[in-house]
Amino acid sequence: MSVHCLLVAGGRWRCFPFPLGSSLVQGLHNSCCRKKSTAPKKIIPSVALGDENTKKSGNALDKLFSSEQQASILQVLNTASNKELEAFKLLRGRKSINIIEHREKFGPFQNLESLMNVPLFQYKTTIQVCNSILCPETEGEKRKFQDNRLLRKLIKPEIKRERLKAVNSIVSIVFGTRRIAWAHLDRKLAVLDWQQSECCQLMKGTYLSSVYLQEISSVISKMPNADLYVLEKIGLSIQNSSRFPVLLHFHIMEAMLYALLNKTFVQDGQHQVLSMNRNGVGKHFELMIGDTRTSGKELVKQFLSESVLKEEPRVVFPSEKIVHYRQMFSSTEQQRAEELYDSLLQAIAFYELAVFDTEP
């Protein structure tokens, strides 16, 4: 597969992922490399786009595109393989398969109207597909789309990439049924603060909001200021009724942290607190076995050692704090302090997946 570039409207170059010498390239070349009056433009029809009954409008589609544009579109539809069709954003998935199947059963498309006979192709969709064939995505646009989709799965609520790029420090927070832990890291992956606090009394009694407020306010008072606060998001199923008390506890904790840490939300509407998918972090560090995430204890122990032994470690523990952190780690080895380990791993993963990967 070669990338072939053509000059299109506005003097811009577009890259097409088709084999060199392909008839698709020649057809698009003929359509795009003409004088300015015939260059492909996105069509916005004057008729209502949402009206799915416009199939009855005769040659409405043919009137929206020039004869050269129609020829280029039809050449793609009639000759492109499934892989080549999927190179166009709007033809990914089932739509490209439907085109191939319709072509094999009924022969080549004779006009643009006939595309509406293919399942999933109605009037509005057909216009959008024709436009995408005439003006395909660049590789940069494709990568941006994929990055945004992955980021939406990893972090909630959505946050602008510009804010992620500007982050200088974060506090990563992980809470369980007995304790809450946090790690404060800057963008150099230097561990500025890392500790945990016991919260043993919260699940005893009747889940009083006043008790949660008192406990969590006390914990937050010890946390440093940061650009963003990142909470671990655990996907517990509500199908298992025995887990309901734990699920209720997690929801109360999450709601309290969102409310107390989003100090400026009323003024600027900007989220300062985000939730990060627990399994997404596990996959990043290869801690997943099936759907189960294993302990990150040994990985954290490795990071502590590398900070002393390596000249350029993955995570930097400041020299004046490394002894304290190692002693803290050793004192928790028998307690299964997973929250402490996970808070550090989550902070590292946030930078590596959401901040550094969005930089140009």
Side-chain angles (χ1 to χ4, degrees), residues 23-56:
S23 58
L24 290 173
V25 173
Q26 187 61 43
L28 288 168
H29 183 278
N30 291 339
S31 174
C32 297
C33 299
R34 299 282 186 177
K35 58 184 180 180
K36 188 177 280 188
S37 62
T38 59
K41 297 179 181 179
K42 286 193 175 182
I43 303 299
I44 303 176
S46 57
V47 294
L49 288 179
D51 185 4
E52 303 300 350
N53 294 321
T54 49
K55 289 185 180 181
K56 302 176 182 178

Side-chain angles (χ1 to χ4, degrees), residues 72-185:
S72 297
I73 296 167
L74 289 172
Q75 187 167 12
V76 171
L77 295 175
N78 288 328
T79 62
S81 66
N82 185 57
K83 188 174 182 180
E84 289 171 334
L85 288 173
E86 287 194 332
F88 299 100
K89 178 181 176 181
L90 294 177
L91 290 178
R92 292 170 190 154
R94 189 64 208 174
K95 286 189 177 72
S96 62
I97 296 173
N98 288 349
I99 286 176
I100 299 294
E101 290 178 349
H102 188 277
R103 203 167 68 195
E104 291 174 349
K105 187 174 181 180
F106 299 102
F109 294 96
Q110 299 300 315
N111 51 49
L112 300 186
E113 288 285 326
S114 60
L115 184 58
M116 290 195 295
N117 295 324
V118 178
L120 302 181
F121 286 84
Q122 296 177 333
Y123 185 69
K124 179 180 177 180
T125 306
T126 301
I127 294 175
Q128 292 172 336
V129 166
C130 291
N131 278 323
S132 73
I133 291 174
L134 292 173
C135 302
E137 289 181 300
T138 64
E139 287 302 314
E141 289 170 336
K142 289 179 185 177
R143 183 179 176 185
K144 184 177 179 180
F145 172 78
Q146 292 168 349
D147 288 347
N148 286 339
R149 184 174 60 180
L150 292 174
L151 202 59
R152 284 195 295 271
K153 289 183 179 180
L154 186 68
I155 295 171
K156 302 286 185 180
E158 289 184 33
I159 181 171
K160 291 182 178 179
R161 296 165 69 91
E162 291 75 15
R163 285 192 66 199
L164 289 174
K165 290 179 186 179
V167 166
N168 288 313
S169 75
I170 67 165
V171 171
S172 167
I173 303 170
V174 174
F175 50 85
T177 56
R178 300 181 58 190
R179 62 180 66 90
I180 180 170
W182 64 92
H184 184 207
L185 272 69

Side-chain angles (χ1 to χ4, degrees), residues 264-311:
T264 62
F265 184 77
V266 174
Q267 287 78 29
D268 57 23
Q270 297 288 328
H271 284 282
Q272 207 174 350
V273 184
L274 306 173
S275 294
M276 190 167 185
N277 184 281
R278 172 178 168 80
N279 286 352
V281 176
K283 290 174 183 176
H284 181 61
F285 289 111
E286 299 182 350
L287 295 175
M288 302 298 296
I289 298 178
D291 294 329
T292 303
R293 178 169 156 180
T294 59
S295 174
K297 173 184 169 182
E298 292 304 315
L299 190 56
V300 170
K301 189 175 183 179
Q302 176 186 324
F303 290 152
L304 282 164
S305 298
E306 289 178 352
S307 184
V308 176
L309 300 174
K310 285 190 174 184
E311 188 175 336

Side-chain angles (χ1 to χ4, degrees), residues 203 234-238 243-252:
M203 289 191 65
I234 301 176
L236 284 180
S237 172
I238 61 174
R243 290 187 177 182
F244 181 76
V246 176
L247 189 64
L248 176 60
H249 167 73
F250 284 161
H251 277 302
I252 295 175

